[in-house]
């Protein structure tokens, strides 16, 4: 592919008279990944300034550099833009195309992974070749490959999407995290529908305040989803009204979902032993759904996923019926083991105050005795959420154990202290294995144990080392 054809028609200003007729062999945002023929995106980051690596990228063979107009580029074409991340995404998308025919995105503080995974499963049961991209990696019905981040960088994202298309995937759902949206990591390809799950405290270390965090997420509806696209909005969140306004203003086809939803109205929800029964009203008709997942939050994610699939033209009755056959999502209210005493141990990815509330609320109807909640808070992440997580747990659980969850570069005991400050009466046990062992030893026959915060994660990040750690395995070992 020639660079000139990639730039054609885009609002891009090559500041050179040199020929644009050069072959392009790839795209990179990290100079260490530049090979001869690469287009390099030079962006100002949080940690370092990618513009400083332009000479190294050119040295390594970059043929063009996408960067701000004021930046100096020598020895390669300079494609200048005031928003280089966006332009880079547009160029890269042209290079990597084609993509799966139907692509949908999910944003929100909690529920993205569950929603994209359930959408993938629904499509598969409808007979489509489907995939999801997010925290669990790239998932198809035959494969799961981890990418490290929820929203991978733009080059990984677009090349993964193109790779899926080559494998025959026609339907793909991806998570759009607020970091990813702010950094244009998931742009360029046509997105036919976007969903909003909820908004609550997280990531304020990066976004500053809730309004900026909300705005970052709204780029999905304002800019990323296609102009003729659909917005699926969980209607029962405090921020939903604002999202609905934005989506309507953009002229999107709006499907609101939930107790206050108009398109899919949740008229009733009754927990059963292994799941829940939902009564859903659509265009005046009532449908009964036997969802084999527990928890109000998973009902919300399941209906949001159904909304995305229905927005793509699938039959309502069929989609709602298929919700009765979905599989659990890895690490989201996953039952790891039943202890010798008879207490079920659940692993969940709750890592925010709201997530913890949702996880505890989900388990409460299934608890006859005490609900024992164990969790920690991540290091080098939003510190303000720590006492709030403590407070939610202390209020809603019968016993709280505060332990470690990826301390990263921080001192584990100070993270625990910050959580403990919000959780009067909690027990502090450093070292996650010892804490899990203690929780399991304390649980009686009627009790239930919640291990929150790590879900599917396979490691404990201490300093810059990742030690193998899996809550499900450790729970089984401690219960054995
Ligand atoms: C805060 C954050 O989101 N950082 C991500 C972001 O960094 P950044 O743009 O600020 O980049 P930077 O490291 O300052 O570097 C600036 C530029 O210089 C380039 N560079 C850098 C060094 C070098 O030697 N050569 C070079 O070219 C980099 O590729 C980058 O383009 O872009 C980098 C490249 O893609 C990511 O690796 C990095 O993720 C870091 C590791 C991270 O921990 N991110 C987390 C917070 C994250 O993104 N989480 C979200 C949300 C999870 C959730 O939903 O809860 C996620 O989507 O996973
Ligand atoms: N709809 C929801 N409402 C409230 N809490 C939820 C909801 N969905 C999930 N949660 C809580 O958040 C946790 C993470 O869920 P999930 O992985 O689906 O979210 P996510 O948005 O992908 O998270 P991340 O930001 O880490 O990628 C769950 O384990 C649960 O505790
Ligand atoms: N995607 C989230 C996951 C947090 C999970 C928790 N285990 C932690 O490490 O804080 C983040 O990077 O903030
Ligand atoms: Mg996720």
């Amino acid at each position: 592919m020639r660079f000139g054809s990639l730039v054609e028609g885009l609002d891009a200003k090559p500041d050179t008279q040199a020929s644009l007729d050069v072959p392009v062999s790839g795209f990179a945002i990290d100079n260490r990944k530049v090979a001869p023929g690469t287009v390099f995106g030079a962006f100002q980051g949080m940690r370092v300034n990618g513009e400083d690596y332009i000479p190294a990228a050119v040295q390594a063979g970059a043929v063009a550099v996408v960067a701000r107009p004021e930046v100096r580029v020598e020895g390669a074409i300079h494609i200048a833009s005031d928003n280089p991340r966006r332009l880079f995404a547009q160029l890269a998308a042209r290079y990597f195309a084609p993509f799966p025919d139907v692509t949908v995105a999910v944003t929100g503080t909690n529920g993205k992974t569950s929603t994209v995974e359930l959408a993938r499963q629904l499509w598969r049961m409808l007979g489509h070749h489907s995939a999801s991209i997010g925290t669990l990696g790239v998932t198809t019905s035959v494969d799961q490959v981890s990418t490290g981040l929820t929203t991978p960088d733009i080059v990984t994202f677009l090349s993964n999407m193109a790779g899926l298309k080559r494998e025959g995937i026609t339907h793909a759902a991806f998570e759009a995290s607020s970091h990813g949206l702010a950094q244009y990591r998931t742009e360029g390809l046509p997105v036919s529908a976007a969903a909003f799950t909820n908004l609550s405290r997280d990531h304020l270390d990066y976004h500053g305040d809730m309004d900026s965090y909300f705005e970052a997420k709204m780029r999905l509806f304002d800019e990323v989803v296609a102009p003729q696209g659909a917005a699926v909005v969980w209607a029962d969140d405090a921020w939903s009204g604002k999202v609905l306004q934005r989506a309507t203003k953009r002229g999107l086809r709006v499907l609101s979902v939930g107790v206050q939803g108009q398109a899919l109205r949740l008229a009733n929800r009754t927990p059963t032993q292994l799941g829940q029964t939902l009564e859903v009203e659509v265009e005046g008709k009532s449908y009964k759904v036997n969802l084999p997942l527990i928890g109000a939050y998973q009902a919300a994610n399941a209906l949001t996923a159904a909304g995305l699939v229905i927005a793509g033209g699938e039959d309502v009755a069929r989609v709602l019926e298929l919700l009765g056959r979905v599989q659990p999502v890895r690490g989201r209210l996953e039952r790891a083991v039943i202890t010798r005493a008879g207490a079920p141990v659940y692993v969940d990815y709750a890592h925010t105050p709201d997530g913890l509330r949702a996880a505890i609320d989900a388990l409460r109807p299934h608890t006859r005795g005490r609900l024992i909640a164990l969790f920690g808070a991540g290091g080098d992440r939003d510190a303000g959420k720590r006492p709030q997580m403590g407070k939610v747990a202390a209020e809603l659980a019968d016993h709280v154990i505060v332990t470690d969850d990826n301390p990263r570069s921080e001192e584990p005991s100070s993270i625990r202290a910050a959580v403990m400050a919000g959780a009067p009466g909690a027990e502090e046990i450093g070292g996650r294995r010892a804490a899990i062992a203690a929780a399991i030893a304390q649980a009686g026959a009627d009790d239930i144990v919640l291990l929150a915060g790590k879900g599917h994660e396979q490691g404990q990040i201490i300093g810059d080392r990742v030690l193998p750690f899996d809550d499900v395995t450790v729970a089984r070992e401690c219960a054995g």
Side-chain angles (χ1 to χ4, degrees):
M1 197 173 284
R2 304 269 149 183
F3 190 65
S5 63
L6 286 177
V7 189
E8 221 170 83
L10 283 182
D11 183 21
K13 301 179 274 302
D15 75 339
T16 170
Q17 296 309 310
S19 168
L20 298 182
D21 190 31
V22 288
V24 172
S25 63
F27 276 70
I29 62 166
D30 188 312
N31 72 286
R32 291 162 292 190
K33 294 191 179 155
V34 170
T38 302
V39 177
F40 178 63
F43 314 136
Q44 296 178 293
M46 288 277 283
R47 221 171 30 90
V48 296
N49 186 357
E51 295 165 347
D52 297 342
Y53 299 97
I54 294 173
V58 173
Q59 178 77 34
V63 285
V65 177
V66 185
R68 295 183 304 143
E70 49 270 56
V71 168
R72 244 178 109 77
V73 178
E74 278 171 9
I77 304 162
H78 178 189
I79 301 292
S81 168
D82 293 327
N83 192 341
R85 287 186 192 258
R86 170 156 52 202
L87 181 59
F88 182 85
Q90 290 167 339
L91 289 167
R94 286 181 167 200
Y95 176 79
F96 284 108
F99 304 109
D101 309 335
V102 177
T103 309
V104 306
V106 179
T107 199
T109 303
N110 290 310
K112 299 181 293 298
T113 296
S114 307
T115 304
V116 298
E117 171 55 17
L118 294 170
R120 180 191 74 76
Q121 291 188 26
L122 287 173
W123 279 327
R124 195 202 59 210
M125 290 187 278
L126 286 160
H128 301 299
H129 291 284
S130 57
S132 63
I133 297 188
T135 313
L136 297 177
V138 182
T139 309
T140 63
S141 55
V142 291
D143 216 2
Q144 187 161 77
V145 181
S146 170
T147 57
L149 289 172
T150 284
T151 311
D153 69 86
I154 180 75
V155 180
T156 310
F157 175 75
L158 291 172
S159 62
N160 279 336
M161 279 289 187
L164 290 172
K165 169 75 179 177
R166 283 196 297 276
E167 284 172 29
I169 298 293
T170 55
H171 290 63
F174 68 90
E175 287 184 46
S177 70
S178 57
H179 292 82
L181 285 163
Q183 295 162 21
Y184 296 80
R185 290 189 213 152
T186 49
E187 307 281 310
L189 80 188
V191 176
S192 57
F196 170 81
T197 57
N198 50 63
L199 190 84
S200 65
R201 182 180 184 121
D202 202 5
H203 302 311
L204 294 195
D205 52 326
Y206 183 76
H207 297 289
D209 57 45
M210 287 301 286
D211 286 324
S212 317
Y213 180 34
F214 176 73
E215 284 306 322
K217 295 217 175 273
M218 284 308 100
R219 271 203 64 246
L220 181 61
F221 299 92
D222 292 345
E223 295 174 27
V224 177
V225 68
Q228 314 301 324
V232 177
V233 180
W234 177 252
D236 299 339
D237 189 76
W239 293 81
S240 306
K242 280 191 160 185
V243 183
L244 287 166
Q245 270 175 17
R246 298 286 274 262
T248 308
K249 194 167 154 218
R250 174 92 192 285
L252 301 175
R253 194 155 45 89
V254 174
L255 280 81
S256 65
V257 180
V259 176
Q260 298 172 67
Q262 309 246 307
L264 299 183
R265 194 174 85 78
L266 178 57
N268 195 30
R269 192 184 73 80
T270 315
T272 56
Q273 204 194 351
L274 293 176
Q276 48 196 316
T277 308
L278 313 178
E279 197 186 309
V280 183
E281 281 173 13
V282 188
E283 291 175 343
K285 264 184 141 172
S286 181
Y287 299 84
K288 193 171 159 215
V289 176
N290 290 315
L291 188 70
L293 309 174
I294 64 167
Y297 90 70
Q298 233 28 331
N301 298 333
L303 289 179
T304 305
L308 281 169
V309 172
I310 290 166
E314 304 290 346
D315 180 62
V316 174
R318 182 94 181 100
V319 172
L320 293 179
E321 184 199 323
L322 290 174
L323 280 182
R325 288 176 27 206
V326 292
Q327 302 283 323
V329 183
R330 186 74 236 278
R332 277 65 182 168
L333 293 174
E334 176 176 353
R335 202 169 72 196
V337 70
I338 297 181
T339 67
R340 285 218 196 119
V345 180
Y346 282 88
V347 166
D348 189 75
Y349 199 44
H351 53 266
T352 67
D354 207 52
L356 266 180
R357 177 186 304 280
I360 296 172
D361 283 350
L363 294 178
R364 184 55 81 182
H366 302 271
T367 316
R368 272 180 299 174
R370 294 180 313 154
L371 196 157
I372 301 171
L374 172 151
F375 66 99
D380 304 337
R381 293 286 187 272
D382 186 5
K385 73 178 177 183
R386 294 171 189 169
Q388 296 186 11
M389 289 171 75
K391 185 161 181 280
V392 166
E395 271 171 23
L396 300 179
D398 302 302
H399 183 60
V400 175
I401 299 179
V402 175
T403 186
D404 303 326
D405 179 352
N406 295 335
R408 302 193 174 86
S409 74
E410 292 190 58
E411 179 56 50
S413 60
S414 28
I415 303 177
R416 292 197 303 271
V419 178
M420 292 292 292
E427 184 180 359
E428 179 183 342
I429 306 179
R432 198 168 175 101
R433 179 179 287 272
I436 291 175
I440 285 176
Q442 284 171 35
D446 290 339
D447 297 344
I448 207 163
V449 179
L450 166 65
L451 308 179
K454 296 189 78 65
H456 62 284
E457 287 179 1
Q458 293 296 300
Q460 181 80 310
I461 311 172
I462 302 176
D464 48 18
R465 291 196 308 156
V466 185
L467 306 178
F469 200 97
D470 171 25
D471 273 0
V472 171
T473 307
V474 173
R476 286 182 185 152
E477 285 166 4
C478 294

